[in-house]
């Protein structure tokens, strides 16, 4: 995302926040602001030689403010710098605005967000925004990649999001949103102009009390991105299952994306499966893991031309030096840009603050 667009969005949201402050009423107090984030250094060695884009430094920074008992605001941005290769005439640092919204929480059953937020269509990027520091492997699965990292799925939109938890032993929770979706560029979410499009999102999750640590969810997304003279009709569905308890972690998700243009259907599918187990005794800081990652993209669809197919598996170990400092080592076998198989040895040093 261009820096000037980030600035315009921040100005727009700041103005909206100033207009909303009088709504807080007598219970409004001085905002309680919290700043946090995640930073990491990734180093790789590839069997395909000196390939660009593998070694990088990343920073994910967010700030949240409790404006009153029910009102709050959040802003989150990312910065990434590649350490291998060069891009003459291009940006040396990739800046991106992830989230920027005002939220109203009436109860556990009803929460409203207004602004730029995540769609929740991919469970890995769950609505509570699972920090990258907390994730077990070095990188996210292919279907969970952000649009600016050549990801396929629409992971954010600008508009209204309503969510909540329905009381009962089934642990049902819902989410529903409407707003501006992806434009002509998959990484852009235009609010004004001819490129703007409407997106609808619906998700449902069940986490029964009888099975602690287990949840299953489904989500659907509908939009009409203006990828060409004729808008595409987009229909996406995802299903996921997760079990995290007593050091055991099992995560799996499947998704399908249909783009229809002039009665031609382009179908993208993806899935991943992650299994990990924290060791016991003296090895309790170590968590071995294994990941399977797949993504299939139609070769003749121009809207996803920059998205690469994935056919990979990875095995590694995460070691938590403390609750804010981790080291991960990983071996990954994947499809290289030239179509051949590529072996990667990866090292990540991560810091949460």
């Amino acid at each position: 995302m261009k820096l000037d667009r980030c600035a315009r969005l921040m100005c727009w949201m700041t103005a909206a926040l100033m207009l909303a402050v009088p709504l807080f009423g007598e219970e409004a107090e001085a905002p309680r602001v919290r700043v946090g984030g995640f930073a990491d250094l990734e180093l790789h060695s590839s069997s395909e030689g000196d390939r660009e884009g593998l070694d990088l430094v990343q920073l994910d920074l967010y700030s949240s403010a409790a404006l009153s008992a029910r009102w709050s605001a959040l802003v989150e941005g990312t910065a990434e710098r590649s350490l291998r290769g060069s891009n003459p005439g291009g940006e040396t640092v990739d800046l991106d605005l992830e989230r920027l919204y005002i939220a109203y929480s009436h109860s556990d059953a009803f929460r409203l967000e207004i602004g730029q937020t995540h769609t929740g269509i991919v469970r890995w990027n769950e609505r509570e925004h699972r920090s990258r520091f907390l994730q077990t492997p070095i990188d996210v699965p292919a279907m969970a990649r952000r649009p600016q990292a050549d990801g396929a799925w629409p992971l954010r939109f600008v508009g209204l999001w309503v969510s909540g938890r329905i009381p009962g032993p089934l642990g049902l929770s819902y989410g529903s949103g409407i707003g501006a979706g992806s434009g002509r560029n998959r990484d852009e979410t235009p609010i004004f102009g001819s490129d703007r499009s409407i997106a609808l999102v619906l998700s449902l999750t069940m986490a029964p009390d009888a099975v602690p640590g287990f949840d299953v969810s489904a989500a659907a997304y509908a939009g009409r991105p203006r990828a060409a003279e004729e808008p595409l009709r987009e229909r996406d569905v995802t299903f996921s299952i997760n079990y995290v308890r007593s050091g055991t972690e099992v995560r799996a998700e499947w998704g399908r994306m249909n783009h229809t243009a002039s009665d031609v259907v382009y179908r993208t599918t993806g899935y991943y499966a992650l299994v990990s187990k924290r060791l016991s005794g003296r090895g309790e800081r170590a968590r071995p893991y294994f990941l399977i990652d797949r993504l299939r993209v139609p070769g003749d669809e121009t809207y996803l031309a920059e998205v690469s197919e994935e056919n990979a598996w990875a095995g590694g170990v995460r070691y938590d030096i403390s609750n804010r400092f981790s080291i991960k080592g990983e071996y990954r076998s994947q499809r290289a840009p030239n179509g051949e198989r590529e072996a990667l040895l990866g090292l990540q040093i991560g810091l949460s603050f």
Side-chain angles (χ1 to χ4, degrees), residues 116 163 262:
Q116 178 166 305
S163 61
S262 301

Side-chain angles (χ1 to χ4, degrees), residues 76-114:
E76 178 190 12
T78 61
E80 183 176 299
R81 171 71 182 271
S82 177
L83 301 179
R84 185 186 302 188
S86 61
N87 183 17
E91 298 179 355
T92 57
V93 178
D94 184 14
L95 301 176
D96 207 78
L97 180 65
E98 286 296 314
R99 295 183 294 170
L100 182 59
Y101 64 76
I102 302 169
Y104 173 78
S105 299
H106 180 269
S107 64
D108 289 343
F110 181 85
R111 173 182 169 87
L112 172 66
E113 296 174 10
I114 306 173

Side-chain angles (χ1 to χ4, degrees), residues 26-200:
E26 297 180 356
E27 61 180 353
E29 301 176 354
R32 299 185 300 277
V33 179
R34 180 176 183 269
V35 178
F38 165 77
D40 77 321
L41 168 66
E42 291 187 17
L43 302 173
H44 295 85
S45 176
S46 169
S47 61
E48 292 298 309
D50 189 21
R51 191 159 68 79
E52 296 183 5
L54 293 178
D55 300 339
L56 49 86
V57 176
Q58 300 176 95
L59 174 65
D60 188 320
L61 186 65
Y62 72 89
S63 177
S64 60
L67 304 174
S68 72
R70 294 184 177 180
W71 289 89
S72 62
L74 183 141
V75 57
E76 178 190 12
T78 61
E80 183 176 299
R81 171 71 182 271
S82 177
L83 301 179
R84 185 186 302 188
S86 61
N87 183 17
E91 298 179 355
T92 57
V93 178
D94 184 14
L95 301 176
D96 207 78
L97 180 65
E98 286 296 314
R99 295 183 294 170
L100 182 59
Y101 64 76
I102 302 169
Y104 173 78
S105 299
H106 180 269
S107 64
D108 289 343
F110 181 85
R111 173 182 169 87
L112 172 66
E113 296 174 10
I114 306 173
Q116 178 166 305
T117 186
H118 290 166
T119 62
I121 184 62
V122 177
R123 179 63 175 171
W124 187 281
N125 302 305
E126 61 192 38
R127 292 295 310 165
E128 295 77 17
H129 190 64
R130 178 177 169 84
S131 168
R132 287 200 61 209
F133 180 78
L134 297 178
Q135 74 178 27
T136 300
I138 289 180
D139 204 359
V140 301
M143 65 181 294
R145 289 173 185 160
R146 292 164 170 164
Q148 66 268 28
D150 297 335
W153 264 263
L155 300 184
R156 61 191 176 203
F157 74 115
V158 180
L160 305 177
W161 179 266
V162 177
S163 61
R165 188 180 189 279
I166 302 172
L170 292 180
L172 294 175
S173 58
Y174 70 93
S176 180
I178 181 172
S182 301
R184 191 177 301 274
N185 186 332
R186 196 69 167 171
D187 187 25
E188 298 291 336
T189 309
I191 305 174
F192 307 105
S194 60
D195 284 353
R196 70 181 184 276
S197 62
I198 297 297
L200 301 173

Side-chain angles (χ1 to χ4, degrees), residues 102 105 108 132 136 190 203 214 233 260 321 326:
I102 302 169
S105 299
D108 289 343
R132 287 200 61 209
T136 300
S203 66
F214 172 83
R233 187 173 76 247
T260 304
I321 297 176
S326 70

